[in-house]
Amino acid sequence: MFRTSVGAIREKLAKLPQQSNASRRQSSEDAKRRKSTLRAILRKLKQGGHVQNRQLQTWLTEEEFAEFEMLWAEQRELRAELKRKPPSIVEYEVLLKRGLFAEAKADGYKRVNAKAKAKALNDAQRHFELAIEFLTEQLQLDPSLALWVDRNMSDLAKDAAALCGSAMPRCVTSRSADKASGGLQSALQRKNDVKIAVVAKALERCG
């Protein structure tokens, strides 16, 4: 359980008054000071510096800080979701590992053992084909599983020549060097990045 859920923050945002009234009451000097401070905060964040939530809360409006809380809560929920890997994705990874093992075995053979090498490559190809067939079927049954895969499946399903280890789809949680940056993983943001987006948006509103 998170201390602050996305739903609770959205309710909080809905109850907040429009910030235009508060903005009108600000003096010209207060507005300039706020804008200058937000610029300094944004510069620090972009340089990788740490800005405490307390400081953000001081210089953002109540609505803007609630927006930051909501965006970061969504990121925490996404991280929790990535820990709950669907069973069909786990099964696909088992099939993929069999193909990768056979491919690595083929790479280990020397030229003098061409026959054994060819057999291992055929085994790898067969396992990759089975893996693609299984994953394609699962995606047809549940299209949302595409979020767990790092690349588009349509081309691989049609092109048998592409079925080599480096081209095979990976789960977005994989640590493989061959993993692409697609699916759920591509939506992940660091807390610092969320702060940058919110402060930059606040500066735009300042005019």
Side-chain angles (χ1 to χ4, degrees):
M1 291 291 294
F2 298 121
R3 288 181 302 168
T4 311
S5 70
V6 173
I9 295 171
R10 283 184 175 144
E11 287 181 14
K12 178 180 176 181
L13 275 169
K15 293 176 182 177
L16 288 175
Q18 296 296 314
Q19 80 177 82
S20 56
N21 291 335
S23 297
R24 291 193 188 104
R25 289 197 297 269
Q26 281 187 322
S27 69
S28 176
E29 288 301 315
D30 287 341
K32 287 179 181 178
R33 185 184 175 201
R34 177 175 183 264
K35 189 172 183 179
S36 176
T37 304
L38 287 175
R39 280 177 177 165
I41 289 173
L42 183 60
R43 185 164 55 250
K44 184 176 181 179
L45 288 168
K46 286 184 174 180
Q47 291 172 348
H50 175 64
V51 174
Q52 292 184 344
N53 288 1
R54 187 185 309 168
Q55 186 178 7
L56 282 183
Q57 194 167 17
T58 298
W59 294 102
L60 294 175
T61 64
E62 188 176 0
E63 182 181 7
E64 288 164 349
F65 188 75
E67 183 181 1
F68 159 70
E69 287 184 310
M70 182 185 70
L71 291 173
W72 183 235
E74 288 175 346
Q75 287 295 314
R76 293 200 306 268
E77 289 187 359
L78 178 56
R79 281 165 172 76
E81 177 67 21
L82 286 170
K83 294 179 181 178
R84 298 189 288 267
K85 193 184 298 183
S88 54
I89 296 297
V90 174
E91 189 170 346
Y92 166 73
E93 288 188 304
V94 172
L95 296 172
L96 173 61
K97 285 178 182 178
R98 290 174 184 167
L100 293 173
F101 177 79
E103 189 177 64
K105 189 176 178 181
D107 290 341
Y109 286 118
K110 297 180 180 179
R111 291 183 181 179
V112 292
N113 209 343
K115 186 175 181 180
K117 185 181 183 72
K119 182 181 182 304
L121 284 174
N122 285 336
D123 286 345
Q125 183 78 8
R126 179 171 55 85
H127 286 306
F128 289 149
E129 288 174 355
L130 288 172
I132 288 293
E133 182 180 344
F134 172 80
L135 185 56
T136 301
E137 289 175 353
Q138 295 304 307
L139 286 169
Q140 289 172 347
L141 293 171
D142 183 2
S144 70
L145 290 174
L147 292 172
W148 285 90
V149 183
D150 68 343
R151 65 198 78 191
N152 192 304
M153 287 287 299
S154 58
D155 294 334
L156 282 174
K158 297 174 185 176
D159 187 6
L163 297 182
C164 63
S166 60
M168 290 291 288
R170 297 298 198 280
C171 175
V172 293
T173 58
S174 170
R175 295 184 179 181
S176 169
D178 294 315
K179 187 190 76 174
S181 57
L184 281 172
Q185 196 80 20
S186 63
L188 281 179
Q189 287 184 304
R190 298 174 304 158
K191 192 172 188 178
N192 198 59
D193 294 328
V194 176
K195 289 179 179 179
I196 287 173
V198 171
V199 174
K201 193 172 180 180
L203 269 170
E204 286 179 10
R205 292 190 184 114
C206 287

